[in-house]
Amino acid sequence: MINSSLKELGAALAEKRISSVELATLLIERIEALNPTLNAFITVDREKTLAMARDADRRLGAGLAGPLTGIPLAHKDIFCSEGWLTTCGSKMLANFASPYDAHVVQLMKAAGLVTLGKTNMDEFAMGSSNETSFYGPVKNPWDNTRVPGGSSGGSAAAVAARLTPAATGTDTGGSIRQPAALCGLTGVKPTYGVVSRYGMIAFASSLDQGGPMAKSAEDCALLLSAMSGFDPRDSTSLDRPAEDYRRDLEKPLAGLKIGLPREFFAAGMAADVREAVDEALAEYRRQGAVTVEVSLPSSGLSVPAYYVIAPAEASSNLSRFDGVRYGYRAPEYTDLADMYCKTRAQGFGAEVKRRILIGTYVLSHGYYDAYYLQAQKIRRLIANDFVQAFRHCDIIMGPTTPSTAFALGAKSDDPVEMYLSDIYTIAVNLAGLPGMSIPCGFGGEGGKLPVGLQLIGNYFDEARMLGVAHRYQLATDWHKRMPEEA
Ligand code: GLN
């Protein structure tokens, strides 16, 4: 049961082979057994979960169920969930019980999904290893001495260890795709504007996008169909008709043109990642796709541009955490200014402070033109590179990450080294394009660590991208493998 697809779980629930309460109980017990080691969840609440499961069972019994009704789902702790703690991985929000649901949470509830808990994450989604969380690092279920990736590392570890069939994540620079790659999962970052940011605690608003993390592309297609849609409460939400992202799953690959960016296949990719990616591309050719070389000449500037733009937006977004409106307040202070200073000094961790400082600096009067404006120009060049590349191909492929999961602590003292974990993912956010990662083999010592293949679609081409991923998953079983201890 724990390794079943969402479709299989849906069928088991519909045919009454298992109830939602039984399924939720089974997973809560797994969480109780494995979470003390993995630290994938920040909050679990058996009573709340079981109440939702009972409700789902009633809907199933009354014949009012949809394809996802009764299936458990974990939410990254960045999504406001009514009545649940929503900490964003920070001491600043350690006491914040959200009074409302994020749009994503609302839609998932409406689809009948049962909230299993809130997953650990890098503080305010800033990180690539889950080590910046106030709640401690998450362990990679494939090797407990290694990171699961970040910032959606708790969601990734939870799905990989089969503590939940699926989870939500957010991706500002790679935070769905990178942990999906390092944990052997399928994770999708949609086109910017497809999933509402309402109730998703803001990091860098022009880049943030929510998306699903699950075992397969088919599961992700089902979840994305439920979680996307226009929301007037997010000014960047796109008013487009609802889509069924499963529509291209059965489409054959013959004639598909896959673009391989020269810059992604140059130096920098570890040999084991290269081997798995090459083998995946060979499978695509076997299925009738053709590969063409494309170029993204400005993509080398994506990490520097991102580390100006994202901190700039973060410095503004995080100004709301001031000890007055909500969240943490320093217990002792002399006056208002001192209260602000102490609250923010005590409530934020080192990486968050680093970003606030950088962001404030690049937006300051004297440096705005030199840094922020330049970064915005580079962002446009990067987006234009993709427009050019998509003239020659239908989809772009490459590695998701430069290496397999690294050891806990290996990069935590070197921010720049850590920032380079997202070298292949960040350009996609800067351009606003959809991207995903699918498992394509194993590397590392003894071949025990998952490798991810990244697929990048054109704007709003999620259905095709998911279809292209699904065809690969019909021919391979990487996405069905699970770590031994799980
Ligand atoms: N690792 C990147 C960062 O630290 C991306 C994080 C994300 O996508 N939320 O900013």
Side-chain angles (χ1 to χ4, degrees), residues 76 125-128 150-151 170-175 203 306-307 355 422:
K76 183 176 182 178
M126 299 174 189
S128 307
S151 63
T170 61
D171 191 312
T172 304
S175 280
F203 162 14
Y306 172 90
Y307 279 98
R355 308 269 179 123
D422 295 315

Side-chain angles (χ1 to χ4, degrees), residues 89-171:
S90 183
K91 177 176 179 181
M92 191 56 98
L93 288 175
N95 61 2
F96 176 62
S98 174
Y100 66 96
D101 279 332
H103 191 233
V104 164
V105 173
Q106 209 182 326
L107 291 175
M108 293 316 220
K109 271 189 187 170
L113 287 147
V114 172
T115 306
L116 203 49
K118 307 292 298 286
T119 59
N120 204 341
M121 55 178 287
D122 279 299
E123 187 178 8
F124 286 102
M126 299 174 189
S128 307
S129 67
N130 229 288
E131 292 166 296
T132 73
S133 170
F134 174 64
Y135 299 90
V138 176
K139 310 258 170 67
N140 189 318
W142 293 94
D143 176 347
N144 290 344
T145 68
R146 291 174 187 274
V147 304
S151 63
S152 312
S155 287
V159 180
R162 307 303 191 241
L163 306 183
T164 178
T168 52
T170 61
D171 191 312

Side-chain angles (χ1 to χ4, degrees), residues 12 50 57 110 163 200 295 361 370 425 469:
L50 292 181
D57 280 333
L163 306 183
M200 196 177 104
S295 179
Y361 181 82
T425 50

